Amino acid sequence: MKKTEFFEKNEISLRFYAAKAIIEEAASLALSMRPSPGGPSATLKGRQDYVTEADRAVELMVYNRLSTLFPDDGFIGEERGEQAQGTYRWVLDPIDGTSNYARGRNRWCISLGLMKNNLPVAGIINAPALKEIFTAIRGEGAFLNGKPIYAAKTKNLDESMVEIGWSPFVPLEWWQEKTTAILNLGSMPRSLGSGALALADVACGRSDGYLEKVIYIWDVAAALVILEEADARISPFIKMGGIEKRTTILATAPNIASQLSKALGVELG
Ligand code: IPD
């Protein structure tokens, strides 16, 4: 290994392990603040677009901790936008699946990605109510609670399961068209309210695909590297402008990737 590669590997590992510990603390904080089951306990940013006190508290806590440890790094968070710029850049969704969280459900997570320039190099998705932590460092594999994970080997579409993400930015006609396409393929549809966890499900083989018309970088930054390391196929989210604006994503299990890509009209990278 060249000296520069060795230093880069160390820089990334150092950040990853520090961040993993910080996200574990943040996950406990979020869990302690989770509303009890009931109607949504949150503020509306727009129709069906929620923010809770925990979103803000987690983002502030993670930003404060990471910026103290790595003052030269950049930071983008869902609630406060870009806080700093740097060669390494943290990308945080403090609570992904806020609509679930706000009603006391279990399916939500904290998603933290690390990018070097525009390349995702490490990711952590911590879902404390599910007791699951997905992790990856580029070139070192993807893991769920420390065990290696891989995308499913599904070949038969009649056995496949595909999730479509819904947000208020999805036009009714698009939703109907893509749901019909999935049903026509013989796949079983799902829609569970957390983009990051839906992508993690593709990475660990619990589902065979995830499609969302437009999604933000903080929802997917951690998952992009986890999916790559798990041998899933992904649309070129960053090349399609995903850092600057909400962008389409398709992630699929490898053996049915071309069929899903064609049926759903999204090219893969
Ligand atoms: C949302 C969730 C949802 C997805 C949206 C995201 P949030 O993130 O991941 O499943 O469909 O595109 O914005 O608001 O819960 O952090």
Side-chain angles (χ1 to χ4, degrees), residues 239-261:
K239 268 199 208 142
M240 286 166 66
I243 298 180
E244 296 82 33
K245 59 178 194 327
R246 38 178 206 255
T247 295
T248 299
I249 194 155
L250 173 65
T252 91
N255 296 333
I256 55 167
S258 51
Q259 287 149 292
L260 280 186
S261 160

Side-chain angles (χ1 to χ4, degrees), residues 17 45 48 55 83 147 149 166 170 183 236 238 257 269:
Y17 288 106
K45 293 191 273 189
Q48 296 289 0
D55 286 85
Q83 301 293 297
K147 295 203 177 115
I149 51 171
W166 187 88
V170 173
L183 292 169
I238 307 258

Side-chain angles (χ1 to χ4, degrees), residues 9-28:
K9 213 166 142 54
N10 276 356
E11 283 172 350
I12 294 170
S13 300
L14 182 70
R15 283 170 170 77
F16 171 82
Y17 288 106
K20 189 163 173 283
I22 293 170
I23 295 302
E24 270 166 43
E25 266 185 62
S28 303

Side-chain angles (χ1 to χ4, degrees), residues 13 28 39 43 54 67 94-96 100 106 133 142 144-145 161 166 170 179 182 186 192 201-202 227-228 251 267:
S13 300
S28 303
T43 309
S67 61
I95 310 271
D96 182 72
N100 287 338
N106 287 337
I133 306 178
L144 165 54
N145 292 345
M161 177 184 282
W166 187 88
V170 173
T179 306
I182 281 175
L192 299 172
D201 271 356
V202 176
L227 284 159
E228 265 192 65
E267 280 183 22

Side-chain angles (χ1 to χ4, degrees), residues 14-219:
L14 182 70
R15 283 170 170 77
F16 171 82
Y17 288 106
K20 189 163 173 283
I22 293 170
I23 295 302
E24 270 166 43
E25 266 185 62
S28 303
L29 173 65
L31 201 52
S32 72
M33 295 177 78
R34 179 174 54 160
S36 303
S41 185
T43 309
L44 275 176
K45 293 191 273 189
R47 180 179 71 97
Q48 296 289 0
D49 188 8
Y50 299 96
V51 60
T52 67
E53 285 307 309
D55 286 85
R56 297 195 179 102
V58 167
E59 184 158 326
L60 193 61
M61 181 257 189
V62 174
Y63 171 69
N64 285 340
R65 299 288 297 278
L66 286 174
S67 61
T68 305
L69 284 176
F70 306 106
D72 296 331
D73 289 0
F75 189 97
I76 307 174
E78 176 176 12
E79 306 309 334
R80 296 172 3 125
E82 186 167 64
Q83 301 293 297
Q85 295 182 340
T87 306
Y88 285 102
R89 171 162 44 174
W90 301 98
V91 186
L92 176 73
D93 189 340
I95 310 271
D96 182 72
T98 309
S99 57
N100 287 338
Y101 179 87
R103 304 202 65 146
R105 289 173 177 244
N106 287 337
R107 193 171 175 80
W108 52 273
C109 62
I110 299 178
S111 172
L112 180 68
L114 175 65
M115 301 183 60
K116 183 167 186 191
N117 298 313
N118 285 346
L119 182 71
V121 291
I124 299 163
I125 296 177
N126 186 322
L130 303 174
K131 297 190 169 46
E132 292 191 335
I133 306 178
F134 294 87
T135 54
I137 295 179
R138 179 167 292 276
E140 296 185 19
F143 300 86
L144 165 54
N145 292 345
K147 295 203 177 115
I149 51 171
Y150 300 95
K153 300 281 182 276
T154 313
K155 284 193 180 127
N156 180 0
L157 285 162
D158 286 347
E159 294 172 2
S160 65
M161 177 184 282
V162 176
E163 184 166 350
I164 309 185
W166 187 88
S167 78
F169 310 113
V170 173
L172 175 64
E173 306 70 43
W174 183 94
W175 178 264
Q176 289 171 333
E177 182 195 315
K178 302 304 175 188
T179 306
T180 305
I182 281 175
L183 292 169
N184 283 340
L185 277 175
S187 291
M188 186 183 279
R190 285 284 184 277
S191 192
L192 299 172
S194 161
L197 287 175
L199 292 167
D201 271 356
V202 176
C204 73
R206 279 181 188 148
S207 95
D208 301 298
Y210 183 67
L211 171 69
E212 183 149 352
K213 180 170 172 42
V214 282
I215 193 163
Y216 287 105
I217 183 68
W218 42 79
D219 298 309

